[in-house]
């Protein structure tokens, strides 16, 4: 896995994890990336600073009401969210492009309910939601098991 700092056209900087540099370029070209803060799809790589930890005797500054969180605070929040997603997916089955069909079958009672994750187009996701199928988008892209090195 590789971590990139990304920036949307509205200057929001966020961190994202990819299977490779090529995976980032592929997802960007297919329009699969969007800013987690504003939803902007015009995404590019931001200048990255080296990850140098602070001295042990320093504390981070508290966030003041109304003040935007620092990039370090945002990175920590995104990292925690990515770790939570990874933990949730440990007990979920990857179903790939069969996601919409499997979710619909579970909703209709044709198959047992089980945690699944996979791929769906925006149209498929809207149709599932319109049918009352309980789905939620994952905040971070998932590398299909067959694509992992």
């Amino acid at each position: 896995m590789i971590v990139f700092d990304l920036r949307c056209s509205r200057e929001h900087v966020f961190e994202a994890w990819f299977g490779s540099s090529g995976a980032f370029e592929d997802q960007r070209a297919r329009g699969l990336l969007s800013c987690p803060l504003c939803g902007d799809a015009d995404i590019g790589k931001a200048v990255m600073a080296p990850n140098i930890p602070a001295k042990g005797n320093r504390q981070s500054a508290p966030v003041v009401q109304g003040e935007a969180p620092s990039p370090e605070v945002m990175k920590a929040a995104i990292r925690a969210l990515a770790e939570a997603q990874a933990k949730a997916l440990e007990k979920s089955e990857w179903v790939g492009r069969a996601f919409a069909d499997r979710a619909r079958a579970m909703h209709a009672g044709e198959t047992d309910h089980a945690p699944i994750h996979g791929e769906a187009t925006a149209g498929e996701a809207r149709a599932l939601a319109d049918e009352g199928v309980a789905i939620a988008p994952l905040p971070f892209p998932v590398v299909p098991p067959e694509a992992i090195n």
Side-chain angles (χ1 to χ4, degrees):
M1 295 296 277
I2 187 168
V3 179
F4 290 125
D5 280 346
L6 303 180
R7 180 186 310 268
C8 74
S9 65
R10 295 181 183 160
E11 301 298 315
H12 296 128
V13 176
F14 56 98
E15 186 178 86
W17 300 14
F18 297 92
S20 66
S21 185
F24 161 76
E25 293 299 338
D26 177 59
Q27 289 180 28
R28 189 173 118 193
R30 295 184 347 190
L32 299 176
L33 303 178
S34 64
C35 176
L37 302 173
C38 68
D40 184 8
D42 185 8
I43 304 296
K45 288 182 184 175
V47 177
M48 293 178 62
N51 185 11
I52 301 171
K55 286 184 171 181
N57 63 352
R58 298 182 110 187
Q59 294 181 351
S60 60
V63 176
V64 177
Q65 183 72 16
E67 184 179 313
S70 70
E72 291 78 21
V73 169
M74 291 300 295
K75 283 182 183 181
I78 291 171
R79 186 174 295 111
L81 185 56
E83 289 170 0
Q85 175 178 302
K87 184 173 172 82
L89 293 182
E90 287 175 0
K91 296 181 180 166
S92 178
E93 177 189 0
W94 169 261
V95 296
R97 293 287 308 134
F99 178 80
D101 292 336
R102 292 279 302 272
R104 192 172 280 116
M106 282 187 256
H107 179 72
E110 296 167 4
T111 62
D112 291 336
H113 285 263
I116 61 170
H117 63 286
E119 300 174 4
T121 65
E124 289 171 330
R126 271 192 296 279
L128 288 169
D130 290 345
E131 295 168 31
V133 179
I135 61 168
L138 294 172
F140 301 103
V142 176
V143 178
E146 64 273 7
I148 296 174
N149 297 355

